[in-house]
Amino acid sequence: MANFLLPVLIFFISLQRCYTANPDYFQLSSFLRQQAEITTKNGISRMEWFTDKGPMMWVIEKYGINCSLTIFFEETATPEAHVLRKAMAGRPVRIFLLSSEILLQEKPWTQSTCDFNIFLLSDGQKLIQHSSINHIQAAPYKPHYYPPPLWNFKAYFLIFLLTRNDANQMALNIATRYNFKKTENLLVFIPRGNHVLAVTHSLYTDGTKMTLLDSWRNGRFSNSNHLFPSKLKDLKGSVLKVATFPHPPSVVFDLNDEGHIRRRLGVDMEVIHSLSRVKNFTVQFVEISSIEKWGFLHPNGTWDGLMGAITQETSDIGVCNVFNEHFRWNFVDFSYPYNFMPGCFIAPSPKPVLNWQSPMLPFTRNTWISIGAVYITAALILYVVAKLSVRQEDSRFQNIVYNYFYIVDSLTVGSVRLVPSYDPTRIYMGFIWIFCFIVSSAYSANLVAFLSVNKLAPPIDTLEQLATSGLRFGAHSFWLTQFSGSSDPYVDHIFNTLETDYEIFDLFEEVEKNKFALVENKQYLEVNRDARFTYGDKATIRIVGECLIPYSISLILPKNSPLTRNLGYNLLSTFESGMMIKWQADVVKFFRKLYEEKRLLRGHDDVPIGPRALSLAQLQGVFYIFLCGLIWSFLTFILEFIFKPFKK
Ligand SMILES: *[C@@H]1O[C@H](CO)[C@@H](O)[C@H](O)[C@H]1NC(C)=O
Ligand SMILES: *[C@@H]1O[C@H](CO)[C@@H](O)[C@H](O)[C@H]1NC(C)=O
Ligand SMILES: *[C@@H]1O[C@H](CO)[C@@H](O)[C@H](O)[C@H]1NC(C)=O
């Protein structure tokens, strides 16, 4: 007896293995072919549903003519699997006996451009269990591949429920599992008497009921409805959670007196509002702490901030000027970009230099040297002309020291007390006076120009100047990962000395005080500069001319969110319409108004209306001249005092 049983046992065990190892074994097994002939109690040939005349093959031929097919079957559905496999003869089909182990391998989940995953279930527990797991979070220390292994969010799932009791409940149970909630294409077949119902689920609703699409009777679908309707074109008022925090001009909160949010403005908020109108969803905002902002990756592998809300999937969409960037893409999905913005630095505006040289500035050095040369020779020549005149000039002209004073007197265009009496000296002095008049008019006109302009220190315009300016560098921690290790030594220096523990919004005050430079996206810097630090026509902080690379700005969504693909075209057309520019102008206007009082308060004592009085900064050179004169006379006095006795 035992001799007879053993081969049979071995046959069954090897059969079990072969289902997964060698799918085509089916065609060889006459044992299974006999099983396939089994009919149901009701006398209806259930097997017909799995032949090439059944609803399964009808759907595959209509929607997936060239798709790759994978069949998963539970053991009790072996005959059905066999019949279905036969109906698919001539196509590339993979077939797996459903088990937890097989689902946890990457083999059944390889992804092509179009996949049909067919499940024949009577119990469904293994699929329910597998589809409940967030496979990305289940393996936080593994690199996050895209597409991730162990599920195929873009596949078409066809599930045939062979159970006779509670099929509706089971369909609902499957459809509301974690991975199915993010899978758009799901079609569940439920046998009901001699026909089969085709039902599907909805995304982003509470999922309390399935939608009946069509029913199969007498060898055809009775209503010829589309069996894979797009579920995200009209979200029918479903609630999507949108995480955000204020960051002008992307997101600006209009607060009422109690500090509650009255309105949300800004480019990014307008994007969300228009998406919600187009897609017909209701927005529920999730507030992210302004301290955490975009978030930081903790050593234990979890994020906080906006990234945390999306990686932990407590929100459906994250928005607030998020740069589309590779490191974050390991954890979240990015939508199509809807804006582009470079990262830039903001540094203090150049300060006026204390300019004691102002009396010297109207002429260049060579002009001064020429004038000096003329002065020295003119007095000498006057002396010579006066000395050599046939008719003797006033004796004072024959004193060389007097002549030097006389020329200085002419240069200041003072009134002349002594005039030459005879032609040679008169002609000579006439030309000297014309020369002096022109030089002094030119000087005084240009002096006014120089005194009324503030001379400024050279502005910081390049990253090299910035790196060597002695300023400290503040930034959000996002920037730490961006440029450290840059081949540019100045950029490398800046990003190695970034300080990330400060609140950026408050750090602007430190920039104004000449202590810090900040790096952030350009429009954020611009709006802060214009709204908070521009007094009259003068800004006290300034964007460094040389910027970093531009980034695309996108929405972030949980990995594999079906919304990612679905929102793309709406975002693109919004961008192409140019609405971004208008929205940005609107929010800048609003934001400037918020800080109007502060600007006026500060602006008042800095920029008086009407002509400006000259300050000491501009005029101090004149006082230096006076001081020099005092010191000079004092020294002369001392010298005279000392040497007087000897003179006698
Ligand atoms: C399917 O593949 C066949 C042969 O490769 C091709 O001729 C046909 O156009 C394809 N059909 C579709 C709908 O892609
Ligand atoms: C949006 O959804 C609501 C709720 O289901 C529905 O009544 C309304 O007709 C939809 N609007 C559009 C424009 O589709
Ligand atoms: C990871 O670390 C952060 C900060 O140290 C902590 O707040 C968070 O709870 C940790 N998460 C887990 C899952 O341990």
Side-chain angles (χ1 to χ4, degrees), residues 175-456:
T176 50
R177 296 298 100 196
Y178 173 81
N179 288 302
F180 278 116
K181 279 203 276 191
K182 288 165 72 171
T183 305
E184 192 175 3
N185 294 315
L186 170 67
L187 189 62
V188 184
F189 292 109
I190 303 175
R192 175 77 48 85
N194 61 356
H195 57 272
V196 181
L197 306 180
V199 301
T200 191
H201 69 338
S202 332
L203 300 170
Y204 296 104
T205 57
D206 48 8
T208 47
K209 77 186 220 309
M210 307 285 286
T211 313
L212 176 66
L213 291 169
D214 216 329
S215 68
W216 176 271
R217 56 182 88 198
N218 306 329
R220 61 185 193 89
F221 279 111
S222 37
N223 298 324
S224 43
N225 284 336
H226 198 294
L227 295 179
F228 294 101
S230 166
K231 292 172 183 164
L232 296 169
K233 265 201 187 115
D234 176 3
L235 286 167
K236 307 223 169 86
S238 316
V239 176
L240 291 191
K241 290 189 196 145
V242 177
T244 189
F245 59 89
H247 185 76
S250 310
V251 181
V252 175
F253 291 169
D254 180 6
L255 301 176
N256 64 13
D257 295 339
E258 285 101 57
H260 297 303
I261 300 165
R262 196 187 307 154
R263 218 160 34 120
R264 291 161 198 264
L265 302 103
V267 176
D268 296 30
M269 291 295 99
E270 297 293 348
V271 167
I272 291 294
H273 290 150
S274 35
L275 281 180
S276 83
R277 279 196 298 274
V278 172
K279 293 289 181 195
N280 199 14
F281 63 83
T282 312
V283 177
Q284 180 190 334
F285 283 105
V286 176
E287 310 300 339
I288 300 294
S289 132
S290 279
I291 296 161
E292 292 176 2
K293 287 194 160 60
W294 296 275
F296 178 76
L297 179 62
H298 292 290
N300 60 13
T302 59
W303 286 81
D304 60 15
L306 194 66
M307 286 288 293
I310 300 301
T311 52
Q312 283 138 43
E313 307 194 13
T314 52
S315 298
D316 302 303
I317 300 177
V319 58
C320 187
N321 191 63
V322 185
F323 285 160
N324 194 327
E325 179 262 336
H326 189 266
F327 181 66
R328 288 172 174 168
W329 177 75
N330 288 318
F331 305 90
V332 298
D333 272 355
F334 287 101
S335 71
Y336 282 176
Y338 57 86
N339 217 347
F340 301 90
M341 206 47 69
C344 288
F345 287 91
I346 195 148
S349 286
K351 299 276 177 287
V353 281
L354 290 182
N355 123 18
W356 58 270
Q357 314 102 316
S358 60
M360 302 289 290
L361 292 176
F363 290 150
T364 63
R365 200 170 58 150
N366 286 349
T367 314
W368 279 119
I369 291 173
S370 312
I371 290 172
V374 168
Y375 172 63
I376 290 167
T377 48
L380 270 178
I381 293 172
L382 178 60
Y383 172 75
V384 174
V385 172
K387 256 287 198 253
L388 297 185
S389 278
V390 180
R391 281 181 285 179
Q392 283 294 295
E393 274 292 351
D394 191 301
S395 62
R396 276 174 287 183
F397 281 122
Q398 296 180 27
N399 179 340
I400 196 154
V401 176
Y402 180 83
N403 284 351
Y404 275 105
F405 268 111
Y406 191 74
I407 302 289
V408 168
D409 195 24
S410 313
L411 276 171
T412 58
V413 205
S415 61
V416 183
R417 269 191 226 116
L418 182 66
V419 289
S421 324
Y422 305 109
D423 289 345
T425 332
R426 277 181 174 170
I427 292 168
Y428 174 68
M429 274 317 295
F431 280 104
I432 292 287
W433 284 336
I434 291 171
F435 170 80
C436 289
F437 169 71
I438 293 171
V439 167
S440 63
S441 315
Y443 179 78
S444 52
N446 217 8
L447 184 65
V448 172
F450 271 90
L451 288 180
S452 53
V453 170
N454 265 345
K455 194 161 189 287
L456 299 175

Side-chain angles (χ1 to χ4, degrees), residues 405 623-641:
F405 268 111
F623 290 93
Y624 286 137
I625 292 176
F626 174 66
L627 203 64
C628 284
L630 277 186
I631 293 169
W632 191 265
S633 343
F634 184 68
L635 282 180
T636 321
F637 171 72
I638 297 285
L639 285 178
E640 258 185 7
F641 189 75

Side-chain angles (χ1 to χ4, degrees), residues 61-67:
E61 251 145 44
K62 171 144 185 178
Y63 296 98
I65 185 72
N66 286 345
C67 291

